[in-house]
Amino acid sequence: MLDFLSSKKPKILVVGDFMVDHYIWCDCTRISPEAPVMVMKSQKEDKRLGGAGNVYANLKSLGAEVFALGLVGDDESGRFLKENLNAKLLVEKGRKTPLKSRILSHSQQVLRLDDENDFNTKLEDEIIKEYKKIAKDYDVIILSDYAKGVLTLKVTKALIEHANTLNLPILIDPKGSDFSKYQNATLLTPNKKEAIQALGVEKIDNLEEALKKLKDELNLAYSIITLSEEGIALFDKKIHIIPAKALEVYDVTGAGDSVIAMLAYALALKVDIVKACELANDAAAVVVAKVGSVSVSLEEIKNLKKASFEDKIKCKEELVKLIQNKKVVFTNGCFDIMHYGHIKYLEKAKKLGDILIVGLNSDESIKRLKGSSRPINLEFQRACMLASMYFVDYVVVFNEDTPYELIEFLKPDVLVKGADYKGKEVVGSNLVKKVELINFEDGFSTTNIVNRIANDK
């Protein structure tokens, strides 16, 4: 399927609210003496296409031929969009092109500043006129509505009506609680919260009924609700739940943009709607594993499908190449019988950096440390169990009694051990920038589990 998609180049028109996403990457080392706030030092910054622009960027990355139609202000952000889009961008007097500045520290967003003055455009007739000139040249149309005043009631209804006249699929990423202006579209992509608001209910008790109600009331070809980590719910003639593929979630920014971009790309090439939703899930899985507004390519989706948790088991020589320019967290142990305490410990360790590497004692080293009756599970089985956890990035087996040589070779930034090491020397502590001690969950240990099983016999 992906080979077929990559051999085509659909033409897609994106209309909506184009913005600029501004990222300022900072380092934080202390708290201000003036107030309880972080003192940030700027390391780098960049600007990216945001809003409808991120939908455009995703389509370009997938390989589509894309054109943009929208509004900008006579400002720096507007000029940035004009320079980076193949587009017809009308300039409206008094309008600020939306600029969203995000300040990040250690890949975590700590603040967002919005500079905008969104209002319903007075250029409705001009937008409709430009749209009618070019819509016939495209395979699919996307309306990306961020409620910044471009897709007014009049504009939205006119664009949908003209698409239906041309028999073109028109896909909409909706905003607000009133979806009536989207009536007669091919499909909408609301998330669960947006769907609840549009349906006027406190919660969705029956997903099939909710999907069918949206489909019937808005006269949609397909009814969709995106379910975040649960995937996508689709209703055509019956309900389909397409489960999510994401294993690692770093940032959900732009996930909805990647979903509608992939749906449009697939439907433009006459892909079945269920398969299109599966591909959209794959696209979202790639995007949420990155930071910020980013795009997805067909190659990345191919790699996602090929990926296996066994691929996370590496030798130390492979790891050195994979962890460059990342904040690396390292911990180690036998992890013989995995339990809840291990899971919470590793989950906390992951939050201390970009990459979590688990050094795993080999079978030989465990026998030397714990006796001939251990380990219970062989090293490959133990490595696979660790690698199957989304918060573990890599597993590396070491044969020595301690991980000192491995730590010296990998040079991680943070070394993590259990809180029971407080006041004790941590092997490798002289080789790293920081040692973090994490509290164990009470009542969980492999030894206790082994003893309970033995006593039950």
Side-chain angles (χ1 to χ4, degrees):
M1 172 60 74
L2 289 172
D3 289 334
F4 164 73
L5 293 178
S6 61
S7 68
K8 307 294 181 180
K9 204 173 182 69
K11 298 179 69 176
I12 299 173
L13 173 62
V14 181
V15 187
D17 299 298
F18 292 88
M19 314 179 204
V20 177
D21 284 335
H22 178 212
Y23 290 88
I24 306 170
W25 305 81
C26 301
D27 187 32
C28 175
T29 56
R30 62 193 178 95
I31 301 297
S32 171
E34 303 165 359
V37 295
M38 294 182 288
V39 177
M40 314 288 281
K41 287 186 178 180
S42 176
Q43 302 292 315
K44 65 175 182 176
E45 60 182 291
D46 66 272
K47 290 182 177 180
R48 304 176 190 175
L49 298 172
N54 193 42
V55 178
Y56 175 101
N58 273 275
L59 289 166
K60 290 288 286 185
S61 184
L62 289 169
E65 185 178 328
V66 199
F67 192 79
L69 174 61
L71 297 175
V72 294
D74 185 13
D75 51 23
E76 184 181 344
S77 294
R79 288 185 284 276
F80 173 84
L81 290 174
K82 284 188 171 185
E83 290 169 5
N84 289 277
L85 292 169
N86 177 30
K88 177 68 176 182
L89 297 175
L90 304 175
V91 179
E92 184 163 23
K93 186 177 180 180
R95 177 176 291 273
K96 279 187 178 181
T97 307
L99 172 69
K100 298 183 183 296
S101 296
R102 295 173 174 90
I103 298 175
L104 300 98
S105 178
H106 304 295
S107 300
Q108 296 294 316
Q109 187 178 151
V110 296
L111 181 67
R112 193 180 96 180
L113 300 172
D114 290 0
D115 186 16
E116 58 191 28
N117 62 343
D118 46 288
F119 54 82
N120 284 347
T121 181
K122 296 176 182 177
L123 302 180
E124 291 174 313
D125 292 336
E126 288 85 343
I127 294 170
I128 295 168
K129 181 180 177 182
E130 292 294 336
Y131 171 84
K132 289 184 175 180
K133 283 183 188 176
I134 59 176
K136 65 181 183 301
D137 298 324
Y138 294 89
D139 301 310
V140 170
I141 295 156
I142 295 176
L143 304 188
S144 181
D145 194 350
Y146 276 81
K148 303 302 178 187
V150 174
L151 292 170
T152 63
L153 174 64
K154 178 180 178 180
V155 169
T156 304
K157 282 185 169 293
L159 271 50
I160 293 172
E161 182 181 350
H162 191 65
N164 289 334
T165 300
L166 297 172
N167 200 27
L168 289 175
I170 182 162
L171 285 58
I172 302 173
D173 191 353
K175 220 46 161 197
S177 58
D178 183 4
F179 283 6
S180 61
K181 71 175 182 178
Y182 306 124
Q183 196 164 12
N184 301 319
T186 304
L187 62 83
L188 313 182
T189 58
N191 59 35
K192 202 168 186 178
K193 181 180 178 182
E194 291 167 336
I196 286 171
Q197 291 175 338
L199 290 165
V201 296
E202 291 185 5
K203 63 177 182 175
I204 293 176
D205 294 314
N206 186 310
L207 195 53
E208 182 172 359
E209 287 181 6
L211 287 162
K212 193 172 187 305
K213 186 175 181 181
L214 286 173
K215 184 177 187 294
D216 292 344
E217 289 186 356
L218 300 175
N219 193 33
L220 306 172
Y222 311 108
S223 184
I224 284 175
I225 298 175
T226 62
L227 305 174
S228 188
E229 71 277 0
E230 295 176 33
I232 293 175
L234 161 72
F235 187 89
D236 46 8
K237 295 179 181 177
K238 64 177 183 177
I239 190 170
H240 308 265
I241 304 294
I242 297 95
K245 302 291 180 68
L247 296 178
E248 298 172 308
V249 179
Y250 289 104
D251 190 347
V252 297
T253 305
D257 296 333
S258 65
V259 166
I260 198 166
M262 188 71 246
L263 285 172
Y265 188 94
L267 292 179
L269 298 176
K270 312 300 182 187
V271 173
D272 170 80
I273 184 62
V274 176
K275 186 63 181 178
C277 287
E278 291 175 0
L279 290 167
N281 258 347
D282 292 338
V286 172
V287 167
V288 298
K290 304 178 183 181
V291 176
S293 296
V294 292
S295 53
V296 59
S297 68
L298 291 176
E299 190 62 34
E300 288 175 306
I301 295 174
K302 285 182 186 178
N303 291 337
L304 176 77
K305 287 180 172 294
K306 292 177 185 174
S308 162
F309 61 79
E310 292 179 22
D311 295 334
K312 294 159 78 172
I313 304 169
K314 303 290 185 184
C315 67
K316 62 183 182 181
E317 290 78 13
E318 289 177 297
L319 278 180
V320 168
K321 299 174 184 177
L322 294 168
I323 62 177
Q324 293 178 13
N325 302 317
K326 301 287 186 182
K327 184 178 181 181
V328 177
V329 181
F330 178 90
T331 191
N332 66 279
C334 300
F335 298 99
D336 193 357
I337 296 178
M338 293 295 296
H339 53 69
Y340 179 74
H342 288 139
I343 293 168
K344 297 306 292 183
Y345 171 82
L346 293 171
E347 187 179 36
K348 291 173 185 175
K350 169 64 180 180
K351 295 177 180 179
L352 300 173
D354 302 319
I355 298 288
L356 173 61
I357 298 174
V358 179
L360 183 67
N361 288 79
S362 69
D363 291 345
E364 288 183 26
S365 68
I366 291 177
K367 287 184 187 299
R368 290 195 300 269
L369 294 168
K370 295 181 179 288
S372 59
S373 64
R374 300 282 298 274
I376 305 298
N377 292 301
L378 299 179
E379 63 190 53
F380 180 70
Q381 297 165 346
R382 291 183 285 118
C384 285
M385 285 188 284
L386 285 166
S388 68
M389 298 178 186
Y390 73 86
F391 36 77
V392 174
D393 293 291
Y394 299 110
V395 179
V396 55
V397 178
F398 65 95
N399 200 41
E400 297 76 24
D401 289 349
T402 76
Y404 188 89
E405 292 180 23
L406 181 58
I407 295 169
E408 187 175 34
F409 187 86
L410 295 175
K411 298 179 175 61
D413 299 282
V414 182
L415 177 59
V416 175
K417 294 298 288 184
D420 57 336
Y421 271 82
K422 187 174 182 180
K424 302 177 185 178
E425 183 180 353
V426 176
V427 172
S429 58
N430 61 313
L431 301 173
V432 299
K433 297 175 184 175
K434 191 175 185 181
V435 175
E436 290 277 359
L437 302 181
I438 293 178
N439 289 322
F440 287 123
E441 298 292 321
D442 292 336
F444 295 93
S445 85
T446 300
T447 301
N448 288 345
I449 293 172
V450 172
N451 291 337
R452 278 168 49 200
I453 293 171
N455 292 334
D456 286 344
K457 286 183 178 179

